[in-house]
C-alpha cells in the first residue's frame, strides 16, 4: 500500500499520531506494527523524552546489543571495551585477540597528531597574486581577530585555530580557492566550533576583498563563497595502535611460529596491494572501531569516511594495517586518522554513553582515540589469525548456528545438542532446519 497524496505537517504531529498515520498509510492498519513500535518505548518517560529529542520525527527506539570485550591491556592499563554492534562475531573476536596479547605485552598507542581541518571554499576571478598579497598583508590577521570571541573559551582550554593558509586550487577547477584552517579542539569533536569559525572567515574575506586597495574594482564582485565546512578527513589527527612480540611467541596449534608469521605478513601484503581484499580487510577493522565509537556516542559515519579516504590517499585503496618482522620481532600496527570527543553531543546526554565512558575511566579525547584504534587492530588481528590458520568460518558459523536456532525457537538443551552435532559438519540453514525438525519430531513420538 502506498499513499496517493504527500503528508503535510508531519513533524508537528504527536508521536502517536505519527505512528497512526504510518500504520494506516503504509502498513495496512496492522495492529502488530503499532505494538512493535510502542513496546520499545522506555518506561521512564524522561529517558524516552531524551531519546525522542536526539533526532527528528522519532517514533520508537532501535535497540542494538551493548557488549563488553574484557582483558584489553592498553599502555599498561587493563580495560573492558564497550562495543555496540549487531554482527555476532565481533565482540568474541575482539575478546579473543585481547586475551592473546594480554600475556605478550598488550597494546601500545601513540598520538601522532590532534589537529582537525576546515575550509572556506570560494570562487574568485581576479589575480591570484593580488589575492595572495591581500592574505599576507591584512586578511590572515583579520581572520584571527574576527574569530577571537568564538575561539575564546577553546583557547582557555588549550585549543583554538592553529594555522590558516590560502590555497590556490585553480588547476583543478577554474577560479577555485580555499581558506584552509587547522584547529585544536581538545576533548570535543569540535564540528560546531570549526563551522562557526569558518562562517566568520567567509564574512571577513568578503569584507576584506571589498575594502582592499590591492584587489581591482572590476574583480571585487567576482568573489563568491560556495560553502564553509569542516572536513571529516583528518590526516593531522592521527593515532597509532600497535602490538609486538618475539616471533617465537606466535606459534599456533598445528602451525609453527615462522609459518604463521609468514602467512600473516602475506595476508597483510595482499590487502595492501589488492583493493578487493583491502575492502573486506578494512571492513573488519571498522567492525571493531565502529562498535566502540557508537558505544561512546561518537559519529561512526565520520570515522568511516575518514578511514576509507586515508586508505585511498595514494590513489589506490589499501589496508589500514601494516606488518613487519624486525630483529626477530613481529610488529603489527594501525595508523588511524580519527576525530572523536568526550564532551558535548551524546557524550553528556545518553545514559549508556555516559556509562561507557565511565567504564573506560572517563578518558580524554586522545585516550579515547587510542582505545578505539586498539579495538580496530584487535579485530583485524583476530580475523587474520583465523584466516591463515583454521579459516574464518569456524568462529562465524557458531554464531550463525545460534541465529538460526533462535529463529526456530530452540531451547538451551537443543542448542547444546546442535553445538555437538555441527562440531565437524558445515552449518547451513537447510541442514539446521532439517535436523531441528527431525529432533522435535522424535520428541513428540
Amino acid at each position: 500500500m502506498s499513499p496517493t497524496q504527500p503528508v503535510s505537517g508531519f513533524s508537528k504531529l504527536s508521536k502517536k499520531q505519527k505512528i497512526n498515520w504510518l500504520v494506516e498509510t503504509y502498513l495496512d492498519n496492522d495492529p502488530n506494527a503499532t505494538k512493535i513500535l510502542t513496546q520499545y518505548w522506555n518506561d521512564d518517560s524522561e529517558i524516552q523524552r531524551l531519546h525522542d529529542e536526539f533526532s527528528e520525527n522519532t517514533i520508537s527506539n532501535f535497540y542494538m546489543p551493548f557488549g563488553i570485550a574484557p582483558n584489553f591491556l592498553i599502555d599498561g592499563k587493563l580495560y573492558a571495551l564497550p562495543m555496540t554492534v549487531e554482527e555476532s562475531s565481533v565482540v568474541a573476536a575482539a575478546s579473543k585477540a585481547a586475551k592473546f596479547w594480554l600475556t605478550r605485552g598488550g597494546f601500545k598507542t601513540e598520538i601522532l597528531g590532534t589537529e582537525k581541518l576546515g575550509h572556506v571554499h570560494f570562487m574568485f576571478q581576479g589575480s591570484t597574486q593580488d589575492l595572495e598579497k591581500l592574505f599576507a598583508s591584512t586578511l590572515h590577521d583579520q581572520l584571527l581577530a574576527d574569530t577571537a570571541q568564538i575561539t575564546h573559551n577553546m583557547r582557555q582550554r588549550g585549543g583554538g585555530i592553529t594555522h590558516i593558509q590560502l590555497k590556490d586550487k585553480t588547476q583543478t577547477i577554474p577560479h577555485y580557492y580555499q581558506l584552509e584552517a587547522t584547529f585544536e579542539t581538545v576533548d570535543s569533536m569540535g564540528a560546531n566550533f570549526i563551522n562557526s569559525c569558518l562562517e566568520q572567515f567567509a564574512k571577513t574575506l568578503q569584507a576584506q576583498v571589498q575594502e582592499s586597495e590591492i584587489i581591482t574594482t572590476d574583480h571585487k564582485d567576482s568573489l563568491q563563497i560556495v560553502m564553509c565546512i569542516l572536513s571529516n578527513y583528518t590526516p593531522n589527527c592521527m593515532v597509532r595502535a600497535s602490538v609486538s612480540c618475539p616471533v617465537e611467541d606466535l606459534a599456533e596449534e598445528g602451525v609453527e611460529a615462522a609459518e604463521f608469521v609468514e602467512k600473516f605478513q602475506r595476508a597483510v601484503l595482499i590487502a595492501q596491494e589488492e583493493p578487493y581484499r583491502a575492502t573486506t580487510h578494512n571492513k573488519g577493522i571498522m567492525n571493531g572501531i565502529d562498535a566502540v565509537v557508537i558505544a561512546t556516542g561518537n559519529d561512526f559515519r565520520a570515522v568511516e569516511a575518514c578511514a576509507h579516504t586515508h586508505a585511498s590517499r595514494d590513489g589506490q585503496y589499501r589496508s589500514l594495517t601494516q606488518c613487519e618482522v624486525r630483529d626477530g620481532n613481529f610488529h603489527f600496527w594501525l595508523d588511524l586518522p580519527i576525530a572523536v570527543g568526550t564532551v558535548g553531543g551524546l557524550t553528556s546526554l545518553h545514559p549508556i554513553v555516559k556509562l561507557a565512558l565511565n567504564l573506560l575511566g572517563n578518558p580524554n579525547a586522545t585516550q579515547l582515540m587510542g582505545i578505539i584504534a586498539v579495538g580496530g587492530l584487535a579485530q583485524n588481528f583476530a580475523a587474520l589469525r583465523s584466516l591463515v590458520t583454521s579459516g574464518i568460518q569456524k568462529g562465524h558459523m557458531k554464531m550463525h548456528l545460534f541465529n538460526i536456532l533462535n529463529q526456530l525457537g530452540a531451547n538451551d538443551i537443543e542448542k547444546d545438542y546442535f553445538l555437538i552435532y555441527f562440531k565437524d559438519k558445515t552449518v547451513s540453514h537447510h541442514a539446521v532446519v532439517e535436523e531441528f525438525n527431525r529432533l522435535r519430531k522424535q520428541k513428540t513420538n
Side-chain angles (χ1 to χ4, degrees), residues 3 8-9 27 53 56 70-71 118 131 158 163 180 193 256 310 328 335 391:
S8 178
L27 300 172
E53 293 176 358
E56 177 77 3
N71 299 322
L131 197 58
H163 187 63
E180 180 180 87
F193 167 73
E256 292 184 358
H310 187 67
D335 287 348

Side-chain angles (χ1 to χ4, degrees), residues 84-376:
T84 299
V85 63
E86 87 298 340
E87 188 169 331
S88 49
S89 60
V90 171
V91 177
S95 300
K96 192 173 182 180
K99 185 177 181 181
F100 181 91
W101 286 103
L102 184 62
T103 56
R104 293 171 174 83
F107 297 83
K108 305 292 190 297
T109 67
E110 179 186 359
I111 299 298
L112 305 179
T114 57
E115 288 182 329
K116 287 109 178 180
L117 283 166
H119 300 87
V120 176
H121 303 267
F122 68 96
M123 315 302 287
F124 178 69
Q125 296 183 26
S127 162
T128 299
Q129 291 74 22
D130 288 350
L131 197 58
E132 289 171 342
K133 286 179 185 177
L134 174 64
F135 181 79
S137 62
T138 60
L139 178 57
H140 176 275
D141 291 346
Q142 196 62 47
L143 292 169
L144 292 174
D146 288 354
T147 51
Q149 187 172 358
I150 300 171
T151 62
H152 176 77
N153 288 342
M154 189 66 75
R155 284 185 282 117
Q156 294 289 100
R157 297 196 294 270
I161 301 165
T162 55
H163 187 63
I164 310 172
Q165 64 176 321
L166 172 68
K167 302 194 78 173
D168 178 2
K169 306 291 286 186
T170 56
Q171 294 301 309
T172 57
I173 300 174
H175 313 303
Y176 171 42
Y177 297 86
Q178 296 173 351
L179 287 176
E180 180 180 87
T182 55
F183 300 83
E184 174 59 64
T185 61
V186 198
D187 288 332
S188 66
M189 191 275 178
N192 289 332
F193 167 73
I194 292 172
N195 288 336
S196 294
C197 289
L198 295 173
E199 289 183 1
Q200 180 57 56
F201 282 180
K203 294 175 184 177
T204 300
L205 172 62
Q206 288 174 315
Q208 285 274 299
V209 166
Q210 288 297 321
E211 297 167 7
S212 173
E213 295 181 359
I214 297 172
I215 306 297
T216 59
T217 303
D218 57 330
H219 286 133
K220 288 186 177 184
D221 290 338
S222 74
L223 175 70
Q224 181 191 57
I225 305 297
V226 180
M227 54 187 165
C228 312
I229 187 70
L230 89 163
S231 174
N232 285 125
Y233 181 37
T234 58
N236 298 332
C237 190
M238 182 89 69
V239 61
R240 174 173 293 172
S242 63
V243 289
S244 64
C245 70
V247 167
E248 57 264 28
D249 290 353
L250 292 169
E252 287 285 311
E253 185 178 344
V255 183
E256 292 184 358
E259 180 187 355
F260 170 79
V261 170
E262 182 182 34
K263 292 176 74 175
F264 193 99
Q265 278 189 289
R266 285 177 176 170
V268 176
L269 179 61
I270 289 169
Q272 281 286 338
E273 300 300 329
E274 174 49 67
Y276 285 95
R277 171 57 198 146
T279 302
T280 309
H281 179 97
N282 289 343
K283 186 270 180 184
I285 293 171
M286 301 313 293
N287 279 343
I289 289 170
D290 287 349
V292 183
V293 169
I294 295 170
T296 56
N298 279 281
D299 185 348
F300 77 93
R301 298 160 302 275
V303 170
E304 282 270 354
C306 183
H308 296 307
T309 301
H310 187 67
S312 308
R313 64 192 180 278
D314 70 353
Q316 179 179 317
Y317 191 82
R318 302 183 187 276
S319 163
L320 289 166
T321 51
Q322 298 182 61
C323 177
E324 69 175 7
V325 174
R326 190 172 64 248
D327 300 326
N329 288 310
F330 169 84
H331 299 273
F332 182 51
W333 71 96
L334 164 68
D335 287 348
L336 181 71
I338 182 172
V340 292
T342 55
V343 298
L346 287 188
T347 59
S348 58
L349 292 174
H350 198 297
I352 292 185
V353 168
K354 289 194 287 187
L355 184 147
L357 290 170
N358 190 33
L359 174 71
L360 294 172
N362 293 310
N364 59 32
T366 54
Q367 290 168 332
L368 184 58
M369 286 168 64
I371 291 167
I372 290 169
V374 164

